[in-house]
Amino acid sequence: VQLQASGGGLVQTGGSLRLSCAASGLTFSNYGMGWFRQTPGKERLFVATISRSASSTYYADSVQGRFTISRDNAKNTVYLQMNSLKPEDTAVYYCGATYLQYGIYEAQYQYWGQGTQVTVSS
């Protein structure tokens, strides 16, 4: 199983980025998907999750209304559209795959991507 995250970069406050996570080696539509983020010395924190069929999505309060998670099961890819970015959104973003419909806890995920750095300048 491989999850390849991409799309990170440097953006100014108020800007937007779209992260992608391409999955291989698994039946993508059988997995809930999620995005987490981590800053140095801190634990990995939940950002957003989407169910297998994309019928349900959940967000951390800190990103609700600014971020949108979506998936394309035909392309084996999950996305995270990030708008109105703030300096506190700066982190390494990780995508994960869970056997569950969706997951809001790190321990619920079986597979992780390598992470992509997002830096928001003030």
Side-chain angles (χ1 to χ4, degrees):
V1 176
Q2 189 171 18
L3 302 178
Q4 183 70 41
S6 61
L10 174 64
V11 64
Q12 291 185 332
T13 297
S16 298
L17 282 175
R18 188 196 196 202
L19 305 183
S20 300
C21 175
S24 60
L26 75 170
T27 304
F28 185 70
S29 59
N30 287 352
Y31 288 79
M33 298 298 295
W35 287 96
F36 285 66
R37 64 189 181 186
Q38 188 172 26
T39 54
K42 300 284 186 66
E43 61 182 344
R44 195 173 295 187
L45 298 177
F46 168 72
V47 175
T49 185
I50 187 167
S51 62
R52 296 165 186 159
S53 64
S55 59
S56 299
T57 57
Y58 299 92
Y59 298 90
D61 289 344
S62 59
V63 307
Q64 180 76 49
R66 299 188 298 122
F67 292 10
T68 302
I69 189 171
S70 62
R71 66 189 296 163
D72 185 337
N73 286 349
K75 295 183 178 180
N76 289 358
T77 302
V78 62
Y79 305 96
L80 185 68
Q81 177 67 44
M82 305 186 294
N83 298 330
S84 302
L85 283 161
K86 305 174 181 180
E88 50 264 43
D89 294 319
T90 295
V92 176
Y93 283 71
Y94 296 90
C95 61
T98 174
Y99 296 143
L100 305 175
Q101 272 286 349
Y102 50 81
I104 62 173
Y105 300 107
E106 184 180 3
Q108 293 174 312
Y109 288 76
Q110 289 73 48
Y111 304 109
W112 292 97
Q114 85 288 1
T116 184
Q117 176 71 47
V118 172
T119 303
V120 184
S121 63
S122 57

